[in-house]
Amino acid sequence: MSDTTATHLGFGVDVGGSGIKGAIVDMDTGDFVGERVKIATPKPATPQAVADTVAEIVRAHDWHGPIGITLPSVIRNQVACSAANIDEAWIGTNVHELFSAALGTEDIAVLNDADAAGLAEVAFGEPEAREGAVIFLTFGTGIGSAVFMDGTLFPNTELGHLVISGEEAEHVASSAAKDREELSYKKWSKRVDAVLHEYQRLFSPSAFVVGGGISRKADKWVPNLTVDVPVVAARLRNRAGIVGAAMAANEHVAP
Ligand code: BGC
């Protein structure tokens, strides 16, 4: 697969704590073309080990075109600036240089995982994501955030690290916290609700869009939330990171 123009294709790779996933994306529909390839995240997940795994995924698709890559990190001028749930060695890494060397191309965009997923939801998700002041959140190992005004991204917001009642939001209300503490949906959604109320107090968004694996079970917890703006479950679910990464690469959006 080498042509990006004929049917407007892209390629995205989503780097997560447990798996690194990549696929060819139809940029007109946001659907995958062919299989998604997933390889377990190397341990330790050092920059070089991750870059080698990303290269393996790209080779498996025989892809020759722009490549978008997500990382669970603040990315400024293509340098990783934080490492909350990833190896400390990422901090200060020029990710563009790292992936260019591993992939043999300069045509790369690296961005925060939640920012990528949010971009995909704006393009292909629920209509609420597109208009007004929207806070998109992913619930997983951490809480990722992406903030949009009429579909335009304000990157690297890191709202999962906001301290609420003395605790970082993601330490108490991520889906990892739910699993770790074996919380029921009812108990966990109270924590999520407290976090959303604080975001609402500070940002007055017009809507929240909630994603991450746990949005698949949105009916079990979204109805418990009491903020007075719509809370909408993300539509692309775990496809969003890959699709958003591909969009960033094709559109040359590289924070
Ligand atoms: C990281 C963010 C990331 C989020 C979701 C947080 O711990 O700081 O950069 O978007 O987890 O993976």
Side-chain angles (χ1 to χ4, degrees):
M1 184 76 60
S2 58
D3 190 1
T4 60
T5 50
T7 43
H8 199 205
L9 301 178
F11 195 89
V13 183
D14 197 14
V15 175
S18 57
I20 301 180
K21 294 151 273 178
I24 295 170
V25 179
D26 178 327
M27 303 311 297
D28 295 321
T29 62
D31 293 323
F32 291 164
V33 176
E35 291 296 299
R36 184 192 76 159
V37 171
K38 177 175 177 176
I39 298 180
T41 307
K43 286 192 175 46
T46 56
Q48 194 57 54
V50 168
D52 291 343
T53 307
V54 171
E56 201 179 326
I57 291 173
V58 175
R59 271 197 307 274
H61 289 90
D62 195 20
W63 174 260
H64 303 276
I67 300 166
I69 302 161
T70 77
L71 286 175
S73 168
V74 169
I75 307 291
R76 246 188 300 138
N77 301 323
Q78 295 294 281
V79 172
C81 302
S82 70
N85 292 307
I86 54 169
D87 200 284
E88 290 277 314
W90 283 93
I91 295 180
T93 298
N94 184 316
V95 289
H96 192 267
E97 283 172 10
L98 171 80
F99 289 112
S100 295
L103 301 172
T105 172
E106 294 273 315
D107 204 356
I108 286 170
V110 184
L111 74 170
N112 173 266
D113 55 358
D115 283 348
L119 285 173
E121 292 292 339
V122 166
F124 301 109
E126 303 297 334
E128 286 87 343
R130 256 164 261 154
E131 266 178 39
V134 174
I135 298 185
F136 169 79
L137 298 167
T138 58
F139 292 86
T141 310
I143 296 177
S145 64
V147 174
F148 293 91
M149 185 59 206
D150 289 338
T152 300
L153 174 67
F154 183 118
N156 292 315
T157 45
E158 296 289 319
L159 298 186
H161 298 292
L162 194 76
V163 174
I164 301 171
S165 306
E167 301 246 39
E168 278 191 37
E170 76 171 23
H171 290 166
V172 292
S174 60
S175 66
K178 178 180 182 300
D179 295 344
R180 197 172 52 237
E181 299 180 45
E182 298 180 6
L183 300 173
S184 63
Y185 278 99
K186 195 168 164 211
K187 283 209 168 125
W188 175 72
S189 61
K190 276 204 178 134
R191 295 183 177 191
V192 174
D193 202 36
V195 168
L196 295 196
H197 273 281
E198 185 65 4
Y199 294 161
Q200 178 174 283
R201 198 173 71 82
L202 296 174
F203 300 103
S204 302
S206 42
F208 290 100
V209 181
V210 291
I214 201 154
S215 66
R216 225 170 306 154
K217 303 263 172 71
D219 55 319
K220 295 199 182 223
W221 57 280
V222 171
N224 301 344
L225 303 171
T226 65
V227 280
D228 49 26
V229 292
V231 182
V232 190
R235 194 189 286 174
L236 280 82
R237 314 242 162 100
N238 57 6
R239 245 181 335 125
I242 292 176
V243 174
M247 285 170 60
N250 279 22
E251 293 162 22
H252 304 285
V253 179

